[in-house]
Amino acid sequence: MSKRIFAYDMLRALAALAVMAIHITAGYALLNPVAFILNQASRNAVPLFVIMSGFLLVYGEQRHPLTVKNFYRRRFGRVLIPYIVWTVIYALLIELYQHNSGGNLLLWLSGLGSHLLHGTAFFHLYFLIIVFQLYLLYPLLSHWLKRYPLKLLLCSFMVSCVAIILIYANDTGGITLPSLQWYYSALFPEWLFYFVIGMWLAGYREKLNSMLSSRSKTVTFIYLASLIILLVEGYQGEAYFSSLRPGVFIYSLCSYPFLLLLAIHLEPILRKSRYWIAWLAEQSFFIFLLHPLVLTVLMELTWVPGWANIWQGVPGMLALFAATAAITWLLIWIVSLTPLVSYLGGVPRQRHN
């Protein structure tokens, strides 16, 4: 554990919980203000994952430099097989529920190929398409960051801003973007700055931690202000369901230093929970991949006689979150004891003293 950074384990664990919160509260957001606030406040989840991906790649490279070939082998080996496995699992699940191929194996295999290419087997797998693009770009971005850091930050900021504004205008009916084979949310431009800022911050970790600790009130105020902007935008706009909005962009960039500061302050308090937080961080990719399956099965319980209202209202929503999290973690704990865990996106269980 000594080589791990507690604050960044906390961020990854929080991001994993936030992703679950988005998916669980989505069905309640228009019916209850508490659900709406939780849904919007969790919109920083995917941006946090992207920021942390950039940060951890550079942090790892600082300790263990890799050739471009070895980088691609290691990173794609880590995510490609789980992506294929889970695409097959979710494609089978959809076929079980919807019978889109009508039992025609060739038609199902054709659909599976399309899902693999576009990340459309289930609603969350588009994120892996983003990851693949960013991994492909990483060696080039790393080179540019070393030679032209400010130019890269500025250019990536402008690219992401323009992309997010165009997608938001399209979602709200202001413009109509041309149709593509991929969802716009699965293309890298709108996520590029999150990734680059994470890479850049890896070189200033100690300075950033020191600066945040000395300006905690300012950081908290900025975070709360960005949250208010996000909620107003979501309430007034038609794209509350999207994480590609100007308000989410501002909120995500403001929430990262706030959550990092929170994690730094919580480290002494949560020292005894360090192992479990590190475990959640290690398994965050597996949590991301598995929890929609658990959520889907739990939602089917409403068809059981006498259980139709089991997930109704805020108590039902909180119970659904607790059940989804608990079952997901239990399944991951069990699978982590088997050789299958790596193929599903998890990390084998390690014993710590």
Side-chain angles (χ1 to χ4, degrees):
M1 286 292 186
S2 60
K3 296 181 180 179
R4 304 191 64 88
I5 307 175
F6 175 83
Y8 294 90
D9 279 343
M10 272 287 291
L11 287 182
R12 291 171 68 189
L14 287 171
L17 292 173
V19 168
M20 282 197 288
I22 290 175
H23 297 154
I24 290 167
T25 59
Y28 301 84
L30 293 180
L31 304 174
N32 187 282
V34 173
F36 179 81
I37 292 172
L38 290 174
N39 181 271
Q40 295 301 293
S42 300
R43 289 285 159 185
N44 57 1
V46 175
L48 282 178
F49 268 129
V50 177
I51 292 172
M52 292 302 301
S53 294
F55 176 92
L56 292 172
L57 287 177
V58 173
Y59 178 72
E61 186 180 10
Q62 290 170 346
R63 298 169 58 210
H64 305 291
L66 295 173
T67 64
V68 173
K69 181 179 178 180
N70 286 337
F71 169 79
Y72 284 144
R73 180 184 296 136
R74 173 177 289 189
R75 300 316 304 180
F76 281 97
R78 171 80 171 88
V79 299
L80 185 58
I81 293 176
Y83 173 67
I84 294 171
V85 170
W86 282 104
T87 296
V88 171
I89 291 172
Y90 282 111
L92 288 171
L93 179 68
I94 293 299
E95 181 64 22
L96 178 65
Y97 277 91
Q98 300 180 3
H99 307 287
N100 291 330
S101 66
N104 186 320
L105 179 60
L106 291 179
L107 183 59
W108 181 81
L109 289 174
S110 175
L112 177 64
S114 177
H115 288 318
L116 285 168
L117 185 62
H118 301 110
T120 52
F122 219 62
F123 56 76
H124 65 314
L125 293 179
Y126 78 94
F127 177 68
L128 275 298
I129 302 298
I130 300 168
V131 170
F132 295 148
Q133 295 170 80
L134 295 175
Y135 281 177
L136 283 171
L137 290 171
Y138 175 76
L140 183 60
L141 294 173
S142 179
H143 175 71
W144 285 347
L145 187 64
K146 293 171 184 175
R147 297 192 63 182
Y148 315 108
L150 294 181
K151 289 182 180 179
L152 179 60
L153 285 167
L154 179 60
C155 289
S156 61
F157 177 78
M158 293 177 65
V159 167
S160 292
C161 281
V162 170
I164 289 171
I165 290 171
L166 289 175
I167 292 171
Y168 182 68
N170 179 77
D171 289 343
T172 55
I175 63 172
T176 301
L177 293 175
S179 298
L180 300 177
Q181 290 185 336
W182 285 268
Y183 292 132
Y184 278 100
S185 58
L187 302 179
F188 78 89
E190 53 266 33
W191 307 100
L192 182 61
F193 183 68
Y194 294 128
F195 191 64
V196 170
I197 195 68
M199 293 172 60
W200 180 76
L201 288 172
Y204 296 92
R205 183 172 65 87
E206 297 296 339
K207 291 182 179 179
L208 177 63
N209 292 354
S210 176
M211 184 190 72
L212 292 177
S213 297
S214 63
R215 295 174 172 82
S216 58
K217 291 183 179 180
T218 302
V219 172
T220 303
F221 174 80
I222 293 173
Y223 167 76
L224 292 175
S226 70
L227 177 59
I228 292 171
I229 292 171
L230 174 77
L231 293 174
V232 171
E233 178 195 67
Y235 182 76
Q236 294 182 343
E238 300 175 3
Y240 73 92
F241 56 85
S242 173
S243 293
L244 294 175
R245 296 158 25 204
V248 175
F249 187 64
I250 295 169
Y251 172 68
S252 298
L253 294 176
C254 294
S255 64
Y256 178 80
F258 171 76
L259 293 175
L260 180 57
L261 176 65
L262 182 65
I264 292 171
H265 284 316
L266 288 176
E267 182 171 5
I269 302 172
L270 299 177
R271 189 174 301 276
K272 292 183 179 180
S273 304
R274 193 180 184 93
Y275 170 81
W276 293 107
I277 292 171
W279 183 82
L280 285 175
E282 287 179 335
Q283 305 294 359
S284 59
F285 183 46
F286 197 175
I287 293 170
F288 175 83
L289 293 168
L290 173 61
H291 81 270
L293 177 60
V294 175
L295 176 60
T296 300
V297 173
L298 288 174
M299 290 300 294
E300 288 299 305
L301 292 178
T302 58
W303 293 98
V304 176
W307 287 24
N309 300 323
I310 186 173
W311 307 127
Q312 278 198 353
V314 173
M317 178 186 71
L318 296 177
L320 182 59
F321 180 88
T324 302
I327 295 172
T328 298
W329 297 342
L330 177 61
L331 291 174
I332 290 174
W333 178 262
I334 295 170
V335 176
S336 69
L337 302 176
T338 75
L340 295 175
V341 63
S342 298
Y343 298 103
L344 294 171
V347 178
R349 181 184 171 190
Q350 300 176 0
R351 296 185 182 276
H352 303 281
N353 295 326

PDB file of all heavy atoms in Angstrom, residues 47-68:
ATOM      1  N   PRO A  47     -15.969  12.530 -16.317  1.00  0.00           N
ATOM      2  CA  PRO A  47     -14.813  13.432 -16.387  1.00  0.00           C
ATOM      3  C   PRO A  47     -13.738  13.121 -15.350  1.00  0.00           C
ATOM      4  O   PRO A  47     -12.543  13.184 -15.657  1.00  0.00           O
ATOM      5  CB  PRO A  47     -15.436  14.813 -16.149  1.00  0.00           C
ATOM      6  CG  PRO A  47     -16.818  14.689 -16.691  1.00  0.00           C
ATOM      7  CD  PRO A  47     -17.245  13.300 -16.330  1.00  0.00           C
ATOM      8  N   LEU A  48     -14.142  12.761 -14.134  1.00  0.00           N
ATOM      9  CA  LEU A  48     -13.158  12.398 -13.110  1.00  0.00           C
ATOM     10  C   LEU A  48     -12.360  11.168 -13.526  1.00  0.00           C
ATOM     11  O   LEU A  48     -11.137  11.115 -13.340  1.00  0.00           O
ATOM     12  CB  LEU A  48     -13.846  12.147 -11.769  1.00  0.00           C
ATOM     13  CG  LEU A  48     -14.258  13.372 -10.961  1.00  0.00           C
ATOM     14  CD1 LEU A  48     -14.981  12.941  -9.688  1.00  0.00           C
ATOM     15  CD2 LEU A  48     -13.047  14.231 -10.607  1.00  0.00           C
ATOM     16  N   PHE A  49     -13.038  10.182 -14.080  1.00  0.00           N
ATOM     17  CA  PHE A  49     -12.339   8.989 -14.552  1.00  0.00           C
ATOM     18  C   PHE A  49     -11.326   9.350 -15.633  1.00  0.00           C
ATOM     19  O   PHE A  49     -10.211   8.813 -15.663  1.00  0.00           O
ATOM     20  CB  PHE A  49     -13.333   7.969 -15.104  1.00  0.00           C
ATOM     21  CG  PHE A  49     -13.813   6.973 -14.081  1.00  0.00           C
ATOM     22  CD1 PHE A  49     -15.167   6.742 -13.900  1.00  0.00           C
ATOM     23  CD2 PHE A  49     -12.915   6.251 -13.311  1.00  0.00           C
ATOM     24  CE1 PHE A  49     -15.621   5.817 -12.966  1.00  0.00           C
ATOM     25  CE2 PHE A  49     -13.358   5.321 -12.373  1.00  0.00           C
ATOM     26  CZ  PHE A  49     -14.713   5.107 -12.202  1.00  0.00           C
ATOM     27  N   VAL A  50     -11.706  10.263 -16.534  1.00  0.00           N
ATOM     28  CA  VAL A  50     -10.792  10.644 -17.619  1.00  0.00           C
ATOM     29  C   VAL A  50      -9.605  11.430 -17.070  1.00  0.00           C
ATOM     30  O   VAL A  50      -8.452  11.200 -17.457  1.00  0.00           O
ATOM     31  CB  VAL A  50     -11.544  11.453 -18.694  1.00  0.00           C
ATOM     32  CG1 VAL A  50     -10.580  11.916 -19.786  1.00  0.00           C
ATOM     33  CG2 VAL A  50     -12.660  10.619 -19.312  1.00  0.00           C
ATOM     34  N   ILE A  51      -9.868  12.362 -16.151  1.00  0.00           N
ATOM     35  CA  ILE A  51      -8.783  13.119 -15.527  1.00  0.00           C
ATOM     36  C   ILE A  51      -7.831  12.176 -14.807  1.00  0.00           C
ATOM     37  O   ILE A  51      -6.597  12.272 -14.946  1.00  0.00           O
ATOM     38  CB  ILE A  51      -9.340  14.172 -14.542  1.00  0.00           C
ATOM     39  CG1 ILE A  51     -10.099  15.267 -15.296  1.00  0.00           C
ATOM     40  CG2 ILE A  51      -8.196  14.798 -13.729  1.00  0.00           C
ATOM     41  CD1 ILE A  51     -10.843  16.237 -14.386  1.00  0.00           C
ATOM     42  N   MET A  52      -8.392  11.242 -14.035  1.00  0.00           N
ATOM     43  CA  MET A  52      -7.566  10.302 -13.300  1.00  0.00           C
ATOM     44  C   MET A  52      -6.792   9.383 -14.232  1.00  0.00           C
ATOM     45  O   MET A  52      -5.654   8.986 -13.930  1.00  0.00           O
ATOM     46  CB  MET A  52      -8.436   9.477 -12.353  1.00  0.00           C
ATOM     47  CG  MET A  52      -9.029  10.267 -11.202  1.00  0.00           C
ATOM     48  SD  MET A  52      -7.764  11.070 -10.199  1.00  0.00           S
ATOM     49  CE  MET A  52      -6.797   9.666  -9.675  1.00  0.00           C
ATOM     50  N   SER A  53      -7.366   9.031 -15.368  1.00  0.00           N
ATOM     51  CA  SER A  53      -6.651   8.199 -16.339  1.00  0.00           C
ATOM     52  C   SER A  53      -5.400   8.909 -16.826  1.00  0.00           C
ATOM     53  O   SER A  53      -4.311   8.319 -16.860  1.00  0.00           O
ATOM     54  CB  SER A  53      -7.561   7.857 -17.525  1.00  0.00           C
ATOM     55  OG  SER A  53      -8.643   7.041 -17.130  1.00  0.00           O
ATOM     56  N   GLY A  54      -5.543  10.186 -17.201  1.00  0.00           N
ATOM     57  CA  GLY A  54      -4.381  10.950 -17.641  1.00  0.00           C
ATOM     58  C   GLY A  54      -3.346  11.094 -16.545  1.00  0.00           C
ATOM     59  O   GLY A  54      -2.136  10.935 -16.767  1.00  0.00           O
ATOM     60  N   PHE A  55      -3.828  11.387 -15.341  1.00  0.00           N
ATOM     61  CA  PHE A  55      -2.916  11.548 -14.193  1.00  0.00           C
ATOM     62  C   PHE A  55      -2.135  10.265 -13.926  1.00  0.00           C
ATOM     63  O   PHE A  55      -0.904  10.280 -13.797  1.00  0.00           O
ATOM     64  CB  PHE A  55      -3.710  11.942 -12.952  1.00  0.00           C
ATOM     65  CG  PHE A  55      -2.879  12.032 -11.702  1.00  0.00           C
ATOM     66  CD1 PHE A  55      -2.315  13.237 -11.319  1.00  0.00           C
ATOM     67  CD2 PHE A  55      -2.652  10.912 -10.918  1.00  0.00           C
ATOM     68  CE1 PHE A  55      -1.534  13.319 -10.173  1.00  0.00           C
ATOM     69  CE2 PHE A  55      -1.879  10.978  -9.771  1.00  0.00           C
ATOM     70  CZ  PHE A  55      -1.310  12.189  -9.396  1.00  0.00           C
ATOM     71  N   LEU A  56      -2.836   9.152 -13.839  1.00  0.00           N
ATOM     72  CA  LEU A  56      -2.195   7.895 -13.451  1.00  0.00           C
ATOM     73  C   LEU A  56      -1.266   7.358 -14.530  1.00  0.00           C
ATOM     74  O   LEU A  56      -0.261   6.699 -14.221  1.00  0.00           O
ATOM     75  CB  LEU A  56      -3.260   6.857 -13.102  1.00  0.00           C
ATOM     76  CG  LEU A  56      -4.052   7.166 -11.830  1.00  0.00           C
ATOM     77  CD1 LEU A  56      -5.220   6.198 -11.661  1.00  0.00           C
ATOM     78  CD2 LEU A  56      -3.153   7.121 -10.596  1.00  0.00           C
ATOM     79  N   LEU A  57      -1.568   7.636 -15.793  1.00  0.00           N
ATOM     80  CA  LEU A  57      -0.652   7.217 -16.861  1.00  0.00           C
ATOM     81  C   LEU A  57       0.690   7.928 -16.729  1.00  0.00           C
ATOM     82  O   LEU A  57       1.754   7.304 -16.835  1.00  0.00           O
ATOM     83  CB  LEU A  57      -1.273   7.485 -18.229  1.00  0.00           C
ATOM     84  CG  LEU A  57      -2.413   6.564 -18.655  1.00  0.00           C
ATOM     85  CD1 LEU A  57      -2.973   6.998 -20.004  1.00  0.00           C
ATOM     86  CD2 LEU A  57      -1.959   5.120 -18.726  1.00  0.00           C
ATOM     87  N   VAL A  58       0.653   9.231 -16.512  1.00  0.00           N
ATOM     88  CA  VAL A  58       1.900   9.989 -16.367  1.00  0.00           C
ATOM     89  C   VAL A  58       2.598   9.619 -15.068  1.00  0.00           C
ATOM     90  O   VAL A  58       3.829   9.441 -15.031  1.00  0.00           O
ATOM     91  CB  VAL A  58       1.624  11.507 -16.418  1.00  0.00           C
ATOM     92  CG1 VAL A  58       2.892  12.308 -16.083  1.00  0.00           C
ATOM     93  CG2 VAL A  58       1.106  11.900 -17.796  1.00  0.00           C
ATOM     94  N   TYR A  59       1.837   9.479 -13.992  1.00  0.00           N
ATOM     95  CA  TYR A  59       2.425   9.105 -12.705  1.00  0.00           C
ATOM     96  C   TYR A  59       3.121   7.742 -12.805  1.00  0.00           C
ATOM     97  O   TYR A  59       4.224   7.548 -12.287  1.00  0.00           O
ATOM     98  CB  TYR A  59       1.338   9.058 -11.636  1.00  0.00           C
ATOM     99  CG  TYR A  59       1.831   8.640 -10.272  1.00  0.00           C
ATOM    100  CD1 TYR A  59       2.610   9.498  -9.503  1.00  0.00           C
ATOM    101  CD2 TYR A  59       1.512   7.383  -9.755  1.00  0.00           C
ATOM    102  CE1 TYR A  59       3.067   9.111  -8.246  1.00  0.00           C
ATOM    103  CE2 TYR A  59       1.949   6.993  -8.503  1.00  0.00           C
ATOM    104  CZ  TYR A  59       2.733   7.854  -7.751  1.00  0.00           C
ATOM    105  OH  TYR A  59       3.179   7.470  -6.514  1.00  0.00           O
ATOM    106  N   GLY A  60       2.483   6.802 -13.494  1.00  0.00           N
ATOM    107  CA  GLY A  60       3.093   5.493 -13.676  1.00  0.00           C
ATOM    108  C   GLY A  60       4.329   5.554 -14.550  1.00  0.00           C
ATOM    109  O   GLY A  60       5.327   4.868 -14.285  1.00  0.00           O
ATOM    110  N   GLU A  61       4.274   6.391 -15.584  1.00  0.00           N
ATOM    111  CA  GLU A  61       5.421   6.524 -16.484  1.00  0.00           C
ATOM    112  C   GLU A  61       6.612   7.162 -15.772  1.00  0.00           C
ATOM    113  O   GLU A  61       7.766   6.844 -16.071  1.00  0.00           O
ATOM    114  CB  GLU A  61       5.027   7.356 -17.708  1.00  0.00           C
ATOM    115  CG  GLU A  61       6.107   7.418 -18.772  1.00  0.00           C
ATOM    116  CD  GLU A  61       5.694   8.240 -19.977  1.00  0.00           C
ATOM    117  OE1 GLU A  61       4.649   8.920 -19.909  1.00  0.00           O
ATOM    118  OE2 GLU A  61       6.424   8.202 -20.973  1.00  0.00           O
ATOM    119  N   GLN A  62       6.339   8.069 -14.831  1.00  0.00           N
ATOM    120  CA  GLN A  62       7.426   8.685 -14.075  1.00  0.00           C
ATOM    121  C   GLN A  62       8.183   7.647 -13.254  1.00  0.00           C
ATOM    122  O   GLN A  62       9.394   7.762 -13.069  1.00  0.00           O
ATOM    123  CB  GLN A  62       6.860   9.775 -13.158  1.00  0.00           C
ATOM    124  CG  GLN A  62       6.356  11.005 -13.895  1.00  0.00           C
ATOM    125  CD  GLN A  62       5.599  11.958 -12.994  1.00  0.00           C
ATOM    126  OE1 GLN A  62       5.209  11.604 -11.870  1.00  0.00           O
ATOM    127  NE2 GLN A  62       5.347  13.169 -13.479  1.00  0.00           N
ATOM    128  N   ARG A  63       7.479   6.648 -12.768  1.00  0.00           N
ATOM    129  CA  ARG A  63       8.099   5.607 -11.944  1.00  0.00           C
ATOM    130  C   ARG A  63       8.640   4.453 -12.772  1.00  0.00           C
ATOM    131  O   ARG A  63       9.690   3.882 -12.458  1.00  0.00           O
ATOM    132  CB  ARG A  63       7.079   5.080 -10.933  1.00  0.00           C
ATOM    133  CG  ARG A  63       6.580   6.133  -9.945  1.00  0.00           C
ATOM    134  CD  ARG A  63       5.388   5.625  -9.161  1.00  0.00           C
ATOM    135  NE  ARG A  63       5.702   4.411  -8.448  1.00  0.00           N
ATOM    136  CZ  ARG A  63       4.813   3.464  -8.179  1.00  0.00           C
ATOM    137  NH1 ARG A  63       3.568   3.595  -8.601  1.00  0.00           N
ATOM    138  NH2 ARG A  63       5.165   2.382  -7.511  1.00  0.00           N
ATOM    139  N   HIS A  64       7.918   4.097 -13.841  1.00  0.00           N
ATOM    140  CA  HIS A  64       8.305   2.952 -14.668  1.00  0.00           C
ATOM    141  C   HIS A  64       8.097   3.323 -16.138  1.00  0.00           C
ATOM    142  O   HIS A  64       7.052   3.009 -16.714  1.00  0.00           O
ATOM    143  CB  HIS A  64       7.482   1.713 -14.318  1.00  0.00           C
ATOM    144  CG  HIS A  64       7.540   1.332 -12.872  1.00  0.00           C
ATOM    145  ND1 HIS A  64       8.680   0.829 -12.284  1.00  0.00           N
ATOM    146  CD2 HIS A  64       6.598   1.394 -11.895  1.00  0.00           C
ATOM    147  CE1 HIS A  64       8.443   0.585 -11.013  1.00  0.00           C
ATOM    148  NE2 HIS A  64       7.196   0.928 -10.739  1.00  0.00           N
ATOM    149  N   PRO A  65       9.065   3.984 -16.750  1.00  0.00           N
ATOM    150  CA  PRO A  65       8.925   4.387 -18.161  1.00  0.00           C
ATOM    151  C   PRO A  65       8.717   3.172 -19.074  1.00  0.00           C
ATOM    152  O   PRO A  65       9.315   2.109 -18.856  1.00  0.00           O
ATOM    153  CB  PRO A  65      10.257   5.078 -18.463  1.00  0.00           C
ATOM    154  CG  PRO A  65      10.787   5.498 -17.126  1.00  0.00           C
ATOM    155  CD  PRO A  65      10.327   4.442 -16.163  1.00  0.00           C
ATOM    156  N   LEU A  66       7.869   3.354 -20.089  1.00  0.00           N
ATOM    157  CA  LEU A  66       7.588   2.286 -21.047  1.00  0.00           C
ATOM    158  C   LEU A  66       7.834   2.781 -22.461  1.00  0.00           C
ATOM    159  O   LEU A  66       7.656   3.967 -22.753  1.00  0.00           O
ATOM    160  CB  LEU A  66       6.121   1.841 -20.929  1.00  0.00           C
ATOM    161  CG  LEU A  66       5.672   1.173 -19.628  1.00  0.00           C
ATOM    162  CD1 LEU A  66       4.159   0.978 -19.655  1.00  0.00           C
ATOM    163  CD2 LEU A  66       6.363  -0.158 -19.414  1.00  0.00           C
ATOM    164  N   THR A  67       8.236   1.871 -23.330  1.00  0.00           N
ATOM    165  CA  THR A  67       8.278   2.201 -24.743  1.00  0.00           C
ATOM    166  C   THR A  67       6.843   2.304 -25.252  1.00  0.00           C
ATOM    167  O   THR A  67       5.904   1.828 -24.607  1.00  0.00           O
ATOM    168  CB  THR A  67       9.028   1.125 -25.539  1.00  0.00           C
ATOM    169  OG1 THR A  67       8.287  -0.111 -25.442  1.00  0.00           O
ATOM    170  CG2 THR A  67      10.445   0.916 -24.991  1.00  0.00           C
ATOM    171  N   VAL A  68       6.679   2.939 -26.398  1.00  0.00           N
ATOM    172  CA  VAL A  68       5.340   3.072 -26.965  1.00  0.00           C
ATOM    173  C   VAL A  68       4.717   1.697 -27.195  1.00  0.00           C
ATOM    174  O   VAL A  68       3.537   1.464 -26.881  1.00  0.00           O
ATOM    175  CB  VAL A  68       5.382   3.864 -28.286  1.00  0.00           C
ATOM    176  CG1 VAL A  68       4.013   3.856 -28.969  1.00  0.00           C
ATOM    177  CG2 VAL A  68       5.832   5.298 -28.025  1.00  0.00           C
TER     178      VAL A  68
END
